[in-house]
Amino acid sequence: MQATSNLLNLLLLSLLAGLDPSKVQNMSQSIEVLNLRTQRDFQYVLKMETQMKGLKAKFRQIEDDRKTLMTKHFQELKEKMDELLPLIPVLEQYKTDAKLITQFKEEIRNLSAVLTGIQEEIGAYDYEELHQRVLSLETRLRDCMKKLTCGKLMKITGPITVKTSGTRFGAWMTDPLASEKNNRVWYMDSYTNNKIVREYKSIADFVSGAESRTYNLPFKWAGTNHVVYNGSLYFNKYQSNIIIKYSFDMGRVLAQRSLEYAGFHNVYPYTWGGFSDIDLMADEIGLWAVYATNQNAGNIVISQLNQDTLEVMKSWSTGYPKRSAGESFMICGTLYVTNSHLTGAKVYYSYSTKTSTYEYTDIPFHNQYFHISMLDYNARDRALYAWNNGHQVLFNVTLFHIIKTEDDT
């Protein structure tokens, strides 16, 4: 640009050589001024070109950011929908329960009518006959409650993460026979080399870490498969097949008994090990022990226990290898066994103590933290309590209820 301008100046000067010197000088100065302006304008154009390129890049970035933001918002909406989807089976369960409650109310109305009739006729009966009728009504009421609570496992949803604490292995639980106002939580960290049980007055206190009491057990426990039932802790004594019953209220051992032939100390554990040979659990029917013996070729044995003496009342031998089970739990007298403690686990096998029959099932559940070392059913809460890799979580269960009438045979 500068060279062209100088050449133009020389040509003009040559053409104007015959003119008046003063005029030539003036024209030369004008040309120089024009040249300077041209250079300035050219620099301005270059600067504007740079700014335009910058604006173009910014507009492109804004467009990319808008697309990214829309993608992020879409993903957030999708995650919200994914969170809501598990509520659908829960709502379906509530519908089922609502029908059951309606039937239960009708049964109560019938019982109330019978009671009213008894009151009107009270002068016509002696005390013993009235007492028998009251007992009959009580039996009917209990039967009605059984019809409402028991059922067959159909689905597991969740989990809900209650707290993150402790080691990878442990147990936490509530008492299924406690009153509605009693919501104490017990916490037992690790699967061995520990005797300390921590108590919390409620789930809220458990979450906040507000302990109400600690218990120093007389023996170390083995595994994570303990259970609290009717105010007492039942656990497997370390390096033995002895079951201990420990009263929280009395602070002492009430009973202990050896579980005959039961393997212990990682002879027949669940797939994850951890001295999980003997699994103690409770359901709507009572107290149970799940274990394996040499006599049953290492396959699972189910025993119903007397909660006071720990005596085995009845046993069932299954054909499912204990070492192939991830975890197990009882619902309404049926044992449900998972096929793994890792990702992809599902309830794969069930055994009914009522009919002494088994079936293979396919009930998946979300192993959110990849390693389950404790899975127990609580009949009062109708939920599964789990210890999932240092996370204390809850699973909701959907049960299929069969309401039997007096006409059923």
Side-chain angles (χ1 to χ4, degrees), residues 356-368:
S356 297
T357 58
Y358 71 90
E359 64 176 325
Y360 288 97
T361 60
D362 187 6
I363 305 175
F365 61 94
H366 183 40
N367 188 347
Q368 184 169 350

Side-chain angles (χ1 to χ4, degrees), residues 83-153:
E83 290 176 2
L84 292 174
L85 285 176
L87 294 178
I88 295 175
V90 176
L91 292 174
E92 293 297 328
Q93 177 64 33
Y94 286 161
K95 290 180 182 179
T96 303
D97 288 348
K99 293 179 181 178
L100 294 171
I101 291 171
T102 300
Q103 296 176 10
F104 179 64
K105 287 180 177 178
E106 183 63 29
E107 187 77 10
I108 292 294
R109 279 194 288 268
N110 294 338
L111 297 178
S112 298
V114 174
L115 278 173
T116 301
I118 290 176
Q119 289 176 345
E120 293 174 353
E121 301 169 1
I122 194 166
Y125 298 93
D126 60 20
Y127 172 80
E128 185 62 33
E129 187 171 352
L130 288 174
H131 181 65
Q132 291 301 319
R133 294 193 67 172
V134 170
L135 290 178
S136 176
L137 291 176
E138 182 181 8
T139 300
R140 290 182 64 193
L141 181 59
R142 291 184 182 278
D143 289 343
C144 196
M145 289 297 294
K146 288 180 181 178
K147 293 174 186 177
L148 183 65
T149 57
C150 258
K152 180 179 180 180
L153 180 65

Side-chain angles (χ1 to χ4, degrees), residues 12-253:
L12 289 172
L13 288 173
S14 299
L15 291 172
L16 299 173
L19 298 176
D20 182 57
S22 62
K23 291 182 178 180
V24 171
Q25 183 178 5
N26 290 338
M27 292 182 69
S28 176
Q29 290 174 351
S30 297
I31 291 170
E32 184 65 28
V33 170
L34 180 62
N35 181 44
L36 291 173
R37 287 180 180 176
T38 303
Q39 292 182 33
R40 184 190 62 190
D41 291 345
F42 180 69
Q43 292 298 323
Y44 178 74
V45 168
L46 289 177
K47 182 178 180 181
M48 289 299 295
E49 181 182 15
T50 301
Q51 291 179 349
M52 289 295 290
K53 289 180 179 178
L55 286 174
K56 185 176 181 181
K58 287 183 179 179
F59 280 124
R60 187 181 296 111
Q61 182 63 42
I62 290 171
E63 179 65 19
D64 292 341
D65 290 347
R66 186 180 69 84
K67 292 179 180 178
T68 302
L69 191 60
M70 288 182 65
T71 302
K72 179 181 179 183
H73 288 167
F74 176 78
Q75 184 62 31
E76 289 177 352
L77 288 173
K78 186 176 182 299
E79 289 174 357
K80 288 291 184 184
M81 289 300 298
D82 290 341
E83 290 176 2
L84 292 174
L85 285 176
L87 294 178
I88 295 175
V90 176
L91 292 174
E92 293 297 328
Q93 177 64 33
Y94 286 161
K95 290 180 182 179
T96 303
D97 288 348
K99 293 179 181 178
L100 294 171
I101 291 171
T102 300
Q103 296 176 10
F104 179 64
K105 287 180 177 178
E106 183 63 29
E107 187 77 10
I108 292 294
R109 279 194 288 268
N110 294 338
L111 297 178
S112 298
V114 174
L115 278 173
T116 301
I118 290 176
Q119 289 176 345
E120 293 174 353
E121 301 169 1
I122 194 166
Y125 298 93
D126 60 20
Y127 172 80
E128 185 62 33
E129 187 171 352
L130 288 174
H131 181 65
Q132 291 301 319
R133 294 193 67 172
V134 170
L135 290 178
S136 176
L137 291 176
E138 182 181 8
T139 300
R140 290 182 64 193
L141 181 59
R142 291 184 182 278
D143 289 343
C144 196
M145 289 297 294
K146 288 180 181 178
K147 293 174 186 177
L148 183 65
T149 57
C150 258
K152 180 179 180 180
L153 180 65
M154 300 300 292
K155 186 178 292 187
I156 301 174
T157 55
I160 300 167
T161 302
V162 177
K163 188 176 182 179
T164 300
S165 64
T167 63
R168 293 183 65 196
F169 317 101
W172 72 294
M173 64 214 83
T174 59
D175 189 343
L177 294 186
S179 65
E180 292 184 2
K181 295 182 179 180
N182 183 352
N183 294 303
R184 287 186 294 174
V185 177
W186 291 273
Y187 178 90
M188 301 170 69
D189 191 13
S190 186
Y191 65 87
T192 185
N193 201 32
N194 199 350
K195 299 192 296 181
I196 302 299
V197 181
R198 305 184 189 280
E199 180 181 286
Y200 304 83
K201 288 184 178 179
S202 65
I203 289 285
D205 284 353
F206 173 61
V207 172
S208 66
E211 292 179 22
S212 61
R213 188 173 176 183
T214 59
Y215 301 87
N216 191 355
L217 301 177
F219 311 107
K220 295 178 182 178
W221 65 70
T224 58
N225 307 117
H226 334 293
V227 65
V228 174
Y229 189 69
N230 200 22
S232 292
L233 170 68
Y234 297 82
F235 68 96
N236 175 209
K237 183 180 178 182
Y238 181 58
Q239 289 188 329
S240 75
N241 59 8
I242 295 174
I243 301 171
I244 305 293
K245 177 184 180 181
Y246 178 87
S247 170
F248 286 125
D249 292 336
M250 298 181 184
R252 64 183 179 88
V253 172

